[in-house]
Amino acid sequence: PGAAGRINPVPRVGIPCVVLSDGPAGCGILPVEGEENYFCTHFPIETLLSSTWDVDLVRNVGEVIGNEAKEYGVDVLLAPAINIHRHPLCGRNFEYFSEDPLLAGKMAVAYVDGVQSNDIGTSVKHFAVNNQETNRMNNNAIVSPRALREIYLKAFEIVVKESQPWTIMSSYNRINDVYASESPELITTILRDEWGYKGTVMTDWWGGADGAAQMIAGNDMIEPGTKEQAAHIIEGVKNGTLDEAVVDRNVRRILELVVRTPRFKGYKYSNNPDMKAHATVTRQSATEGMVLLKNEKQALPLSPKDKNIALFGGVSYNFFSGGTGSGDIHRPYVVSLLDGLKNQQIVVDDNIKAIYQAYNRPQEQGEQMRINEMPMDTAIIKYAAKNNDMAIITFGRISGEYIDRISSDFFLSDTERELVKNVTRIFHEANKKVVVVLNVGGVIETQSWKEMPDAILLSWQAGQEGGNSVADILTGHANPSGKLPMTFPVTLSDHWSSLNFPIDQKIDRRWSVKTGLTHETKNVDYTIYDEGVYVGYRWFDTQNLQVSYPFGYGLSYTTFEYSKPSVKQDNGKVIVEVTVKNTGKVAGKEAVQLYVEAPAGKLDKPVHELKAFDKTKMLQPGESQVITLAVHTDDLASFDEQTSAWVTDGGKYKFVVAASSRDPRGDVMVDISPSTRKVNNVLNLPAAFKK
């Protein structure tokens, strides 16, 4: 019950029903049968998982999610989602990993390997360019072949070549005038012929329009399928426009999927996964993806004297565990920050708690992605400062499928701004600390207020154990080691993509009847990806724009020292080694990043690009570890549209070991020989949009 869908059974020839479940923050079913109410563990959102920069951790989370799905009788988990964070207001960013395709791709590999180690399948989605929810069923993404190859397809290429997921899910949108599920160039030429994909391709639910065109494209299975699409297939075979051999090919691929499933093999699922053990996994994994953005004068972790806390912000008492839509989970409970602090024997001011819990929150017109924060009288704040050791303020944002965030959701509301201003002023007058916790699913504005509090912890949406995980960080039981998988800009308009994104569009056509290709309304009917490859840090760092927090940034309760890196070349790979030493007083982990600066060549390029990363083990004070970062020279190439080739310019490349995209710790120069690799000339811009 509650499964996203199924592959229909054909009992007369022994084909069972195959169950498909939503993800990716857990098994997205609703297992209620009669009076029995079963639950699934709610794990952290993908954005938090990518903030760990730890492929082993993500693989372990995937393994546990896969086990739970299998024990509930699920055959294919519809996850992970690996679209790019093109713009902060995309409503589904919480379900996606990063603004960088390498980080997204490697996280996807780990997730897929973990889930599929249980002998159940994954469905990597949404292939491709599903970067806005506004009019998602019909939007026409106008993207250059270079941006497609380097940014929007790269993560899919990585996971296909390294993990071979059982299925790929085609996206709703058009790409350069053609529905993704109806594009032979995307689904056959690139996915199968160039990348060597062997699995099944299925549509997103009700995706595409022409069933016959979907079959020809190589989109094997239509979910859930409409009578019109079935009629297209039947009529196409009858009139000869759809070769029956194509239908047979697609049926064969579906059957190849079916025979791999637990249900076909007769697996006796238990309906009884180890929920207690899984809760421990989600709690521990969440702490490693939380990002410490600020920590002045070691405000965190809490000292033994910080035993009485005034807890402000409505979300402190009602934590957001994850996003809505297909990313939601039927979970047994959600631990609030209030509960998490109490579980750590922290005393929370009962009077402040009672005020929040008695507040009858009015619904604001147009409110979408956050609760309406309660105005707080300064007299109450003064009382709290007198009677408590410190203050914690939590700001929250809901994330959701179906609809993009509105711009006001990116900024603090007037009430939220007044709260942080007054609490910090009054508590600082009493020489007491203030910590802000961000319980959000995506980027929000921080530049205008981040100087006020003493510390800021980005907790993301951390699953059902979120409050416990945050409390583990605040009390020092866990040392934060998360780093940002995207840039925090000063403001929205600093993103080049803001010129071509449906910011506050009033038109909602998410489930509209398809009326054919139209270029009627910009950023609704069509969206021009005019920024090309300049997405996220590629844009901000190349332009040297001020940011609030850069890509890859994150603090720790300890400090790390990097040695001078060394380099060697071996069998087409550049191998960089660096020794990382914990120079602080507590144990911690460090995410090490490798950026490459290319020499000037034919193509305009970002100032640098992430090409490898790794995370240390838990290093004790004074302990060191050698980190090895390898980059194949083929991965230094850029895509030349004029020749339809991946081109690596010859010359000296700078390999920079860094703690973030703006925190270099050492570099080496490497001579690279030129190379060219031709590929198919496909997915070109429509004539009307060629410059």
mmCIF file of all heavy atoms in Angstrom, residues 368-400:
data_model
loop_
_atom_site.group_PDB
_atom_site.id
_atom_site.type_symbol
_atom_site.label_atom_id
_atom_site.label_comp_id
_atom_site.label_asym_id
_atom_site.label_seq_id
_atom_site.Cartn_x
_atom_site.Cartn_y
_atom_site.Cartn_z
ATOM 1 N N GLN A 368 3.722 29.211 1.642
ATOM 2 C CA GLN A 368 3.973 27.929 1.007
ATOM 3 C C GLN A 368 4.991 27.080 1.744
ATOM 4 O O GLN A 368 4.760 25.919 2.003
ATOM 5 C CB GLN A 368 4.493 28.148 -0.424
ATOM 6 C CG GLN A 368 3.463 28.716 -1.368
ATOM 7 C CD GLN A 368 4.087 29.073 -2.701
ATOM 8 O OE1 GLN A 368 4.955 29.904 -2.773
ATOM 9 N NE2 GLN A 368 3.646 28.421 -3.738
ATOM 10 N N MET A 369 6.127 27.659 2.039
ATOM 11 C CA MET A 369 7.272 26.835 2.378
ATOM 12 C C MET A 369 7.840 27.060 3.773
ATOM 13 O O MET A 369 8.957 26.692 4.061
ATOM 14 C CB MET A 369 8.396 27.086 1.356
ATOM 15 C CG MET A 369 8.016 26.726 -0.058
ATOM 16 S SD MET A 369 7.742 24.963 -0.233
ATOM 17 C CE MET A 369 7.369 24.878 -1.967
ATOM 18 N N ARG A 370 7.086 27.720 4.623
ATOM 19 C CA ARG A 370 7.568 27.886 5.985
ATOM 20 C C ARG A 370 6.383 28.150 6.899
ATOM 21 O O ARG A 370 5.310 28.544 6.449
ATOM 22 C CB ARG A 370 8.559 29.046 6.082
ATOM 23 C CG ARG A 370 7.966 30.403 5.718
ATOM 24 C CD ARG A 370 9.034 31.477 5.802
ATOM 25 N NE ARG A 370 8.554 32.734 5.266
ATOM 26 C CZ ARG A 370 9.356 33.693 4.814
ATOM 27 N NH1 ARG A 370 10.650 33.515 4.824
ATOM 28 N NH2 ARG A 370 8.872 34.820 4.344
ATOM 29 N N ILE A 371 6.590 27.949 8.193
ATOM 30 C CA ILE A 371 5.540 28.317 9.128
ATOM 31 C C ILE A 371 5.629 29.815 9.384
ATOM 32 O O ILE A 371 6.670 30.439 9.195
ATOM 33 C CB ILE A 371 5.644 27.527 10.452
ATOM 34 C CG1 ILE A 371 6.874 27.959 11.257
ATOM 35 C CG2 ILE A 371 5.647 26.038 10.211
ATOM 36 C CD1 ILE A 371 6.871 27.457 12.674
ATOM 37 N N ASN A 372 4.539 30.389 9.805
ATOM 38 C CA ASN A 372 4.512 31.808 10.105
ATOM 39 C C ASN A 372 5.071 32.009 11.504
ATOM 40 O O ASN A 372 4.466 31.604 12.490
ATOM 41 C CB ASN A 372 3.075 32.327 10.001
ATOM 42 C CG ASN A 372 2.993 33.822 10.150
ATOM 43 O OD1 ASN A 372 3.952 34.527 9.874
ATOM 44 N ND2 ASN A 372 1.843 34.299 10.596
ATOM 45 N N GLU A 373 6.248 32.614 11.600
ATOM 46 C CA GLU A 373 6.914 32.762 12.885
ATOM 47 C C GLU A 373 6.142 33.697 13.813
ATOM 48 O O GLU A 373 5.544 34.683 13.370
ATOM 49 C CB GLU A 373 8.337 33.288 12.668
ATOM 50 C CG GLU A 373 9.195 33.292 13.912
ATOM 51 C CD GLU A 373 9.287 31.927 14.558
ATOM 52 O OE1 GLU A 373 9.943 31.040 13.997
ATOM 53 O OE2 GLU A 373 8.679 31.749 15.639
ATOM 54 N N MET A 374 6.156 33.377 15.098
ATOM 55 C CA MET A 374 5.436 34.159 16.094
ATOM 56 C C MET A 374 6.217 35.411 16.477
ATOM 57 O O MET A 374 7.401 35.322 16.816
ATOM 58 C CB MET A 374 5.203 33.305 17.343
ATOM 59 C CG MET A 374 4.441 34.014 18.444
ATOM 60 S SD MET A 374 4.202 32.974 19.901
ATOM 61 C CE MET A 374 5.869 32.894 20.526
ATOM 62 N N PRO A 375 5.579 36.577 16.462
ATOM 63 C CA PRO A 375 6.261 37.770 16.984
ATOM 64 C C PRO A 375 6.569 37.573 18.464
ATOM 65 O O PRO A 375 5.759 37.020 19.209
ATOM 66 C CB PRO A 375 5.231 38.885 16.770
ATOM 67 C CG PRO A 375 4.279 38.350 15.745
ATOM 68 C CD PRO A 375 4.236 36.872 15.947
ATOM 69 N N MET A 376 7.743 38.026 18.899
ATOM 70 C CA MET A 376 8.164 37.808 20.274
ATOM 71 C C MET A 376 8.412 39.148 20.963
ATOM 72 O O MET A 376 9.248 39.937 20.523
ATOM 73 C CB MET A 376 9.433 36.953 20.301
ATOM 74 C CG MET A 376 9.917 36.586 21.692
ATOM 75 S SD MET A 376 8.716 35.622 22.654
ATOM 76 C CE MET A 376 8.630 34.120 21.667
ATOM 77 N N ASP A 377 7.678 39.374 22.028
ATOM 78 C CA ASP A 377 7.805 40.613 22.783
ATOM 79 C C ASP A 377 9.191 40.708 23.421
ATOM 80 O O ASP A 377 9.703 39.726 23.965
ATOM 81 C CB ASP A 377 6.724 40.658 23.869
ATOM 82 C CG ASP A 377 6.607 42.025 24.509
ATOM 83 O OD1 ASP A 377 7.492 42.372 25.318
ATOM 84 O OD2 ASP A 377 5.636 42.737 24.208
ATOM 85 N N THR A 378 9.803 41.898 23.375
ATOM 86 C CA THR A 378 11.148 42.043 23.937
ATOM 87 C C THR A 378 11.165 41.810 25.442
ATOM 88 O O THR A 378 12.197 41.402 25.998
ATOM 89 C CB THR A 378 11.714 43.439 23.626
ATOM 90 O OG1 THR A 378 10.796 44.438 24.083
ATOM 91 C CG2 THR A 378 11.966 43.605 22.143
ATOM 92 N N ALA A 379 10.061 42.042 26.110
ATOM 93 C CA ALA A 379 10.016 41.786 27.555
ATOM 94 C C ALA A 379 10.207 40.308 27.846
ATOM 95 O O ALA A 379 10.861 39.926 28.830
ATOM 96 C CB ALA A 379 8.687 42.284 28.130
ATOM 97 N N ILE A 380 9.644 39.471 26.985
ATOM 98 C CA ILE A 380 9.803 38.027 27.156
ATOM 99 C C ILE A 380 11.255 37.633 26.892
ATOM 100 O O ILE A 380 11.823 36.783 27.602
ATOM 101 C CB ILE A 380 8.850 37.277 26.218
ATOM 102 C CG1 ILE A 380 7.396 37.588 26.575
ATOM 103 C CG2 ILE A 380 9.105 35.771 26.268
ATOM 104 C CD1 ILE A 380 6.386 37.026 25.608
ATOM 105 N N ILE A 381 11.865 38.249 25.887
ATOM 106 C CA ILE A 381 13.266 37.948 25.581
ATOM 107 C C ILE A 381 14.157 38.374 26.747
ATOM 108 O O ILE A 381 15.100 37.657 27.122
ATOM 109 C CB ILE A 381 13.696 38.643 24.275
ATOM 110 C CG1 ILE A 381 12.823 38.171 23.112
ATOM 111 C CG2 ILE A 381 15.177 38.363 23.979
ATOM 112 C CD1 ILE A 381 13.059 38.914 21.815
ATOM 113 N N LYS A 382 13.862 39.543 27.366
ATOM 114 C CA LYS A 382 14.649 39.995 28.517
ATOM 115 C C LYS A 382 14.493 39.035 29.693
ATOM 116 O O LYS A 382 15.471 38.739 30.405
ATOM 117 C CB LYS A 382 14.220 41.407 28.909
ATOM 118 C CG LYS A 382 14.651 42.471 27.914
ATOM 119 C CD LYS A 382 14.131 43.851 28.304
ATOM 120 C CE LYS A 382 14.569 44.899 27.284
ATOM 121 N NZ LYS A 382 14.018 46.245 27.593
ATOM 122 N N TYR A 383 13.282 38.552 29.885
ATOM 123 C CA TYR A 383 13.075 37.543 30.924
ATOM 124 C C TYR A 383 13.926 36.307 30.634
ATOM 125 O O TYR A 383 14.595 35.754 31.523
ATOM 126 C CB TYR A 383 11.595 37.145 30.996
ATOM 127 C CG TYR A 383 11.381 35.742 31.492
ATOM 128 C CD1 TYR A 383 11.365 35.455 32.857
ATOM 129 C CD2 TYR A 383 11.242 34.679 30.589
ATOM 130 C CE1 TYR A 383 11.217 34.147 33.301
ATOM 131 C CE2 TYR A 383 11.094 33.382 31.021
ATOM 132 C CZ TYR A 383 11.082 33.115 32.383
ATOM 133 O OH TYR A 383 10.944 31.829 32.832
ATOM 134 N N ALA A 384 13.905 35.885 29.362
ATOM 135 C CA ALA A 384 14.646 34.683 28.984
ATOM 136 C C ALA A 384 16.148 34.875 29.181
ATOM 137 O O ALA A 384 16.853 33.966 29.638
ATOM 138 C CB ALA A 384 14.346 34.323 27.532
ATOM 139 N N ALA A 385 16.651 36.058 28.847
ATOM 140 C CA ALA A 385 18.086 36.319 28.997
ATOM 141 C C ALA A 385 18.498 36.325 30.461
ATOM 142 O O ALA A 385 19.624 35.942 30.801
ATOM 143 C CB ALA A 385 18.437 37.649 28.345
ATOM 144 N N LYS A 386 17.618 36.752 31.324
ATOM 145 C CA LYS A 386 17.914 36.798 32.760
ATOM 146 C C LYS A 386 17.928 35.406 33.370
ATOM 147 O O LYS A 386 18.725 35.125 34.286
ATOM 148 C CB LYS A 386 16.873 37.672 33.461
ATOM 149 C CG LYS A 386 17.083 37.800 34.963
ATOM 150 C CD LYS A 386 16.015 38.690 35.578
ATOM 151 C CE LYS A 386 16.218 38.799 37.097
ATOM 152 N NZ LYS A 386 15.177 39.660 37.732
ATOM 153 N N ASN A 387 17.083 34.510 32.858
ATOM 154 C CA ASN A 387 16.865 33.229 33.518
ATOM 155 C C ASN A 387 17.487 32.031 32.808
ATOM 156 O O ASN A 387 17.277 30.890 33.221
ATOM 157 C CB ASN A 387 15.361 32.982 33.680
ATOM 158 C CG ASN A 387 14.734 33.933 34.673
ATOM 159 O OD1 ASN A 387 14.820 33.742 35.880
ATOM 160 N ND2 ASN A 387 14.108 35.000 34.161
ATOM 161 N N ASN A 388 18.245 32.280 31.714
ATOM 162 C CA ASN A 388 18.852 31.182 30.966
ATOM 163 C C ASN A 388 20.312 31.480 30.670
ATOM 164 O O ASN A 388 20.752 32.635 30.722
ATOM 165 C CB ASN A 388 18.089 30.933 29.665
ATOM 166 C CG ASN A 388 16.686 30.415 29.901
ATOM 167 O OD1 ASN A 388 16.478 29.233 30.142
ATOM 168 N ND2 ASN A 388 15.704 31.320 29.853
ATOM 169 N N ASP A 389 21.047 30.434 30.345
ATOM 170 C CA ASP A 389 22.479 30.568 30.080
ATOM 171 C C ASP A 389 22.771 30.982 28.640
ATOM 172 O O ASP A 389 23.828 31.543 28.353
ATOM 173 C CB ASP A 389 23.194 29.236 30.369
ATOM 174 C CG ASP A 389 23.001 28.786 31.808
ATOM 175 O OD1 ASP A 389 23.150 29.639 32.706
ATOM 176 O OD2 ASP A 389 22.692 27.601 32.035
ATOM 177 N N MET A 390 21.866 30.679 27.737
ATOM 178 C CA MET A 390 22.068 31.012 26.326
ATOM 179 C C MET A 390 20.756 30.857 25.584
ATOM 180 O O MET A 390 19.763 30.378 26.143
ATOM 181 C CB MET A 390 23.133 30.112 25.695
ATOM 182 C CG MET A 390 22.749 28.657 25.603
ATOM 183 S SD MET A 390 23.924 27.667 24.671
ATOM 184 C CE MET A 390 23.833 28.413 23.055
ATOM 185 N N ALA A 391 20.759 31.249 24.311
ATOM 186 C CA ALA A 391 19.564 31.118 23.474
ATOM 187 C C ALA A 391 19.892 30.343 22.212
ATOM 188 O O ALA A 391 20.999 30.450 21.672
ATOM 189 C CB ALA A 391 19.013 32.494 23.105
ATOM 190 N N ILE A 392 18.926 29.565 21.753
ATOM 191 C CA ILE A 392 18.990 28.902 20.449
ATOM 192 C C ILE A 392 17.746 29.320 19.674
ATOM 193 O O ILE A 392 16.630 29.251 20.185
ATOM 194 C CB ILE A 392 19.046 27.375 20.574
ATOM 195 C CG1 ILE A 392 20.328 26.934 21.293
ATOM 196 C CG2 ILE A 392 18.965 26.716 19.193
ATOM 197 C CD1 ILE A 392 20.405 25.442 21.549
ATOM 198 N N ILE A 393 17.959 29.776 18.439
ATOM 199 C CA ILE A 393 16.851 30.142 17.549
ATOM 200 C C ILE A 393 16.869 29.177 16.365
ATOM 201 O O ILE A 393 17.917 28.969 15.749
ATOM 202 C CB ILE A 393 17.007 31.575 17.004
ATOM 203 C CG1 ILE A 393 17.232 32.579 18.130
ATOM 204 C CG2 ILE A 393 15.802 31.962 16.156
ATOM 205 C CD1 ILE A 393 17.655 33.963 17.649
ATOM 206 N N THR A 394 15.721 28.603 16.040
ATOM 207 C CA THR A 394 15.623 27.737 14.869
ATOM 208 C C THR A 394 14.733 28.383 13.819
ATOM 209 O O THR A 394 13.615 28.802 14.120
ATOM 210 C CB THR A 394 15.049 26.354 15.228
ATOM 211 O OG1 THR A 394 15.805 25.792 16.302
ATOM 212 C CG2 THR A 394 15.106 25.416 14.028
ATOM 213 N N PHE A 395 15.267 28.477 12.603
ATOM 214 C CA PHE A 395 14.462 28.905 11.461
ATOM 215 C C PHE A 395 14.270 27.696 10.550
ATOM 216 O O PHE A 395 15.216 26.943 10.305
ATOM 217 C CB PHE A 395 15.144 30.033 10.696
ATOM 218 C CG PHE A 395 15.263 31.302 11.474
ATOM 219 C CD1 PHE A 395 16.479 31.965 11.581
ATOM 220 C CD2 PHE A 395 14.160 31.854 12.114
ATOM 221 C CE1 PHE A 395 16.590 33.152 12.297
ATOM 222 C CE2 PHE A 395 14.262 33.035 12.837
ATOM 223 C CZ PHE A 395 15.482 33.681 12.935
ATOM 224 N N GLY A 396 13.052 27.528 10.034
ATOM 225 C CA GLY A 396 12.757 26.351 9.232
ATOM 226 C C GLY A 396 12.135 26.697 7.897
ATOM 227 O O GLY A 396 11.478 27.737 7.741
ATOM 228 N N ARG A 397 12.362 25.825 6.934
ATOM 229 C CA ARG A 397 11.737 25.932 5.615
ATOM 230 C C ARG A 397 11.309 24.538 5.180
ATOM 231 O O ARG A 397 12.079 23.575 5.262
ATOM 232 C CB ARG A 397 12.709 26.500 4.574
ATOM 233 C CG ARG A 397 13.152 27.941 4.822
ATOM 234 C CD ARG A 397 12.002 28.911 4.610
ATOM 235 N NE ARG A 397 12.435 30.297 4.728
ATOM 236 C CZ ARG A 397 12.498 30.989 5.868
ATOM 237 N NH1 ARG A 397 12.171 30.398 7.010
ATOM 238 N NH2 ARG A 397 12.883 32.250 5.877
ATOM 239 N N ILE A 398 10.078 24.436 4.710
ATOM 240 C CA ILE A 398 9.589 23.196 4.133
ATOM 241 C C ILE A 398 10.112 23.094 2.708
ATOM 242 O O ILE A 398 10.284 24.103 2.031
ATOM 243 C CB ILE A 398 8.046 23.169 4.132
ATOM 244 C CG1 ILE A 398 7.505 23.383 5.552
ATOM 245 C CG2 ILE A 398 7.520 21.856 3.560
ATOM 246 C CD1 ILE A 398 6.018 23.682 5.591
ATOM 247 N N SER A 399 10.377 21.887 2.262
ATOM 248 C CA SER A 399 10.742 21.665 0.860
ATOM 249 C C SER A 399 9.660 20.822 0.229
ATOM 250 O O SER A 399 9.063 19.982 0.896
ATOM 251 C CB SER A 399 12.084 20.941 0.767
ATOM 252 O OG SER A 399 13.094 21.705 1.367
ATOM 253 N N GLY A 400 9.434 21.009 -1.067
ATOM 254 C CA GLY A 400 8.342 20.253 -1.632
ATOM 255 C C GLY A 400 8.422 20.005 -3.110
ATOM 256 O O GLY A 400 8.919 20.839 -3.870
#
